[in-house]
Amino acid sequence: AQTVTQSQPEMSVQEAETVTLSCTYDTSENNYYLFWYKQPPSRQMILVIRQEAYKQQNATENRFSVNFQKAAKSFSLKISDSQLGDTAMYFCAFMKHGYGNKLVFGAGTILRVKS
Amino acid sequence: DAGITQSPRHKVTETGTPVTLRCHQTENHRYMYWYRQDPGHGLRLIHYSYGVKDTDKGEVSDGYSVSRSKTEDFLLTLESATSSQTSVYFCASGGTENTEAFFGQGTRLTVV
């Protein structure tokens, strides 16, 4: 079974600075997807970024980028130029490729952006 | 955004009563999921569905059942609600490629 670990329950960062959220996972699969979801106080789950394991290039979406280390089974999220609106819970998630797959989540990291 | 709606959004119920939560999607997605969210646990999978009348258990399925008689609807039933089932419940769906999941707004259920 796959597991996802987020070792930082809470983090804080000053506005305009950069912060990195950590995620590690355990799997014997070779082909899979990794995700970061954001959950603001509104409770809505918002997909921030997605990485396909067969792609070596790290995914980026505007101020959000990942550091994907497949051998180390590590998938960290870097937020540059942090904004107050980035304050949220962030979840790392794993999904193996193929029929019947399901999304497995980590416990989450609460990020607070301070002005 | 994918069209996924959950109903009700909030519910308070008494211990021992049956409760049904509804998830409706307009994307013709094949895959649908029910998760519960609790502090310190992230989102944990309760049940999921590969298609109509094709469902399977997740990691926290005890005390829950599901049904999917139509592609667009996925129902979660608590046969006899307990206080440990107080939680926020999320429905999600994914297309045939199932390369990501789209979430509903969540349902806050309180069992008193």
Side-chain angles (χ1 to χ4, degrees):
Chain A
Q2 289 79 25
T3 59
V4 178
T5 302
Q6 293 180 250
S7 59
Q8 306 152 315
E10 296 188 26
M11 294 190 71
S12 62
V13 63
Q14 288 295 130
E15 199 174 6
E17 293 186 348
T18 296
V19 64
T20 298
L21 308 184
S22 301
C23 173
T24 59
Y25 58 95
D26 185 24
T27 185
S28 58
E29 301 290 329
N30 189 52
N31 198 4
Y32 50 86
Y33 304 93
L34 294 163
F35 308 86
W36 279 99
Y37 279 87
K38 171 185 177 181
Q39 187 182 46
S42 67
R43 207 167 67 196
Q44 181 66 42
M45 292 288 287
I46 301 166
L47 178 65
V48 174
I49 201 163
R50 185 183 78 174
Q51 176 77 42
E52 296 162 18
Y54 66 87
K55 290 185 177 180
Q56 292 185 335
Q57 186 173 4
N58 289 326
T60 63
E61 287 289 340
N62 301 314
R63 297 182 295 108
F64 298 87
S65 61
V66 298
N67 183 4
F68 173 49
Q69 301 291 327
K70 190 172 183 179
K73 298 180 182 176
S74 171
F75 184 62
S76 61
L77 175 70
K78 185 172 81 171
I79 306 175
S80 304
D81 186 25
S82 297
Q83 301 175 0
L84 295 177
D86 295 333
T87 292
M89 174 78 87
Y90 288 82
F91 291 103
C92 179
F94 171 99
M95 178 189 285
K96 71 177 184 179
H97 183 268
Y99 178 79
N101 49 13
K102 49 191 182 288
L103 203 53
V104 178
F105 285 87
T109 297
I110 299 172
L111 176 66
R112 295 186 175 87
V113 180
K114 300 179 179 180
S115 58
Chain B
D1 290 344
I4 304 173
T5 55
Q6 294 182 228
S7 58
R9 295 291 309 279
H10 301 87
K11 186 172 182 65
V12 179
T13 192
E14 293 185 350
T15 299
T17 60
V19 177
T20 295
L21 307 183
R22 180 177 185 247
C23 179
H24 179 78
Q25 54 106 350
T26 59
E27 304 297 320
N28 200 33
H29 284 165
R30 176 178 182 178
Y31 295 88
M32 295 187 77
Y33 309 86
W34 276 108
Y35 290 89
R36 60 178 288 173
Q37 181 179 9
D38 304 289
H41 291 278
L43 278 76
R44 292 180 292 175
L45 185 64
I46 305 171
H47 282 279
Y48 57 111
S49 170
Y50 311 138
V52 174
K53 297 183 180 179
D54 193 359
T55 64
D56 206 348
K57 295 180 179 179
E59 61 179 308
V60 290
S61 60
D62 287 349
Y64 302 94
S65 63
V66 290
S67 66
R68 192 168 179 201
S69 59
K70 296 186 291 185
T71 298
E72 58 267 34
D73 292 326
F74 193 34
L75 305 181
L76 176 71
T77 297
L78 290 66
E79 302 291 346
S80 178
T82 68
S83 59
S84 65
Q85 293 175 314
T86 291
S87 187
V88 177
Y89 291 84
F90 282 94
C91 175
S93 70
T96 302
E97 293 296 318
N98 205 28
T99 56
E100 65 181 274
F102 300 90
F103 284 81
Q105 320 94 304
T107 295
R108 180 174 294 279
L109 176 68
T110 303
V111 183
V112 298

